[in-house]
Amino acid sequence: MGISKDNVTGLVLAVSSSIFIGSSFIVKKMGLKKSNTPGRSAASGGHAYLYEPWWWIGMISMIVGEIANFAAYAFAPALLVTPLGALSIIVSAVLAHFILQEKLHIFGVLGCALCMVGSTTIVLHAPHERIIHSVKEVWHLATELGFILYTCVVVILVSILIFYCVPRYGQTHLVVYVGICSFTGSLTVMGVKAVGIAIKLTFEGMNQFIYFQTWFFTLVVIGCCILQINYLNKALDTFNTAVVSPVYYVMFTSLTIFASIIMFKDWDTQNASQIATELCGFVTILAGTFLLHKTKDMGNKPIEQSSAFSTPDRAIFATPEQDNINNNSSPC
């Protein structure tokens, strides 16, 4: 990769995207906290945050970040742009530490680092994307048996999470809300790619909006985005932002890469060494995620020794009541 003007432009756009997206988590949670009245919080199904200016500022920040990220791919290769998305985790964690007073222990920082290393390893060793010339070509890939089966599995899992797990475990298990966002997001990216190709080709003089496939992908993107926003708000309103941001990034990135491999059959062009490196990246991500969750309360004031030996260890995913108690404690 040469140091060309386009590469510099793509680098600046990618870094700007991470700053906007990372900041949006914090600003949106500030809005959620301000609108957090009994019976009207996002966690309890309320939508009072829609009347809070801070939430809209955070939403605008996220949109600007996503637009910048989309534009970055037009100037620089994916191997430069995609790994820089991990910077949003650092931005979110640092701002949460100083603005929201959500303390992140040193082992939590290490967990974030492992998540970023694992995700970066996967991205850097992922195969190059195949060149797509029309939205019909994307439709052909999306309607092949492999991706149809993946889509069916995602729909079934998301339905189980929404209708069975959310009422029972949504307030105590972070993976429920984040899982919904991540599984849905993997389909969103595929739809965004199709719509992006349609827009690009239309600007080049080949109108793609005369095909129903373009409008179908557009509806998929809109529907998936609404679902993601709803449950991401619930996750931010219920759990620590410094945990939500990296876990969401890790799950979303992993599932998106997995969906892309199925849809575009990228592993057909890779050797065993490249595939093994990507699998090592997944293991690193899992290790970082576990460490982040297991140590997320270590920065709070320790309980008395007498109760420490008589109380069982907390679950990895704490309840909101426990989080509130810990967040109100003085840090070490």
Side-chain angles (χ1 to χ4, degrees):
M1 183 186 68
I3 307 300
S4 64
K5 181 178 178 181
D6 283 350
N7 283 342
V8 173
T9 302
L11 176 63
V12 172
L13 286 170
V15 173
S16 300
S17 171
S18 295
I19 293 174
F20 277 110
I21 293 175
S23 302
S24 71
F25 280 97
I26 308 304
V27 180
K28 286 171 69 177
K29 183 150 189 179
M30 289 172 61
L32 290 170
K33 281 189 171 183
K34 289 180 178 293
S35 64
N36 193 6
T37 56
R40 301 180 62 191
S41 65
S44 61
H47 296 87
Y49 58 86
L50 294 176
Y51 301 96
E52 177 54 50
W54 281 108
W55 185 87
W56 283 106
I57 293 174
M59 194 65 215
I60 293 173
S61 177
M62 178 170 284
I63 293 173
V64 171
E66 294 295 348
I67 292 175
N69 186 61
F70 180 83
Y73 283 99
F75 293 95
L79 292 180
L80 170 65
V81 177
T82 308
L84 293 178
L87 293 177
S88 63
I89 296 177
I90 299 176
V91 173
S92 180
V94 171
L95 292 180
H97 179 83
F98 290 103
I99 296 178
L100 300 180
Q101 302 301 315
E102 295 180 353
K103 303 302 179 182
L104 190 64
H105 192 267
I106 184 63
F107 289 111
V109 176
L110 177 60
C112 289
L114 287 174
C115 290
M116 289 186 289
V117 169
S119 298
T120 303
T121 300
I122 293 174
V123 173
L124 290 179
H125 291 84
H128 294 286
E129 297 180 358
R130 62 189 299 172
I131 299 176
I132 304 297
H133 300 91
S134 71
V135 78
K136 285 188 173 182
E137 186 175 346
V138 181
W139 178 263
H140 174 72
L141 295 171
T143 54
E144 291 186 351
L145 180 60
F147 192 72
I148 289 178
L149 290 176
Y150 174 79
T151 302
C152 291
V153 170
V154 168
V155 172
I156 292 172
L157 290 176
V158 170
S159 299
I160 292 174
L161 288 172
I162 291 176
F163 297 108
Y164 179 81
C165 295
V166 167
R168 294 170 174 81
Y169 311 110
Q171 297 293 306
T172 57
H173 292 70
L174 172 63
V175 72
V176 175
Y177 291 145
V178 176
I180 294 172
C181 296
S182 301
F183 278 112
T184 306
S186 66
L187 298 181
T188 303
V189 172
M190 300 301 106
V192 167
K193 181 178 292 187
V195 175
I197 291 172
I199 294 174
K200 178 182 178 182
L201 292 176
T202 299
F203 277 118
E204 292 177 352
M206 296 175 286
N207 187 6
Q208 300 294 302
F209 288 88
I210 60 176
Y211 305 118
F212 83 92
Q213 291 93 336
T214 302
W215 295 105
F216 176 83
F217 284 123
T218 302
L219 292 176
V220 169
V221 170
I222 294 173
C224 289
C225 285
I226 293 174
L227 189 65
Q228 286 178 256
I229 291 171
N230 182 45
Y231 285 98
L232 182 58
N233 284 333
K234 293 178 182 292
L236 290 172
D237 198 29
T238 307
F239 300 98
N240 191 311
T241 305
V243 177
V244 173
S245 179
V247 173
Y248 174 59
Y249 170 79
V250 168
M251 291 186 65
F252 170 76
T253 302
S254 301
L255 289 170
T256 298
I257 292 175
F258 185 65
S260 181
I261 289 173
I262 294 176
M263 185 169 177
F264 296 100
K265 303 177 180 64
D266 294 319
W267 272 1
D268 292 346
T269 61
Q270 289 192 296
N271 55 41
S273 176
Q274 291 172 312
I275 295 174
T277 303
E278 293 170 11
L279 293 176
C280 289
F282 275 110
V283 174
T284 305
I285 289 173
L286 293 176
T289 303
F290 175 81
L291 182 61
L292 180 65
H293 279 83
K294 195 65 176 177
T295 62
K296 72 186 184 71
D297 292 321
M298 291 179 64
N300 295 323
K301 184 177 179 179
I303 57 178
E304 296 180 1
Q305 185 175 4
S306 59
S307 60
F309 291 97
S310 60
T311 304
D313 291 339
R314 291 179 56 201
I316 293 178
F317 301 99
T319 61
E321 291 79 10
Q322 291 171 317
D323 279 335
N324 290 334
I325 293 174
N326 287 324
N327 288 335
N328 291 330
S329 302
S330 299
C332 293

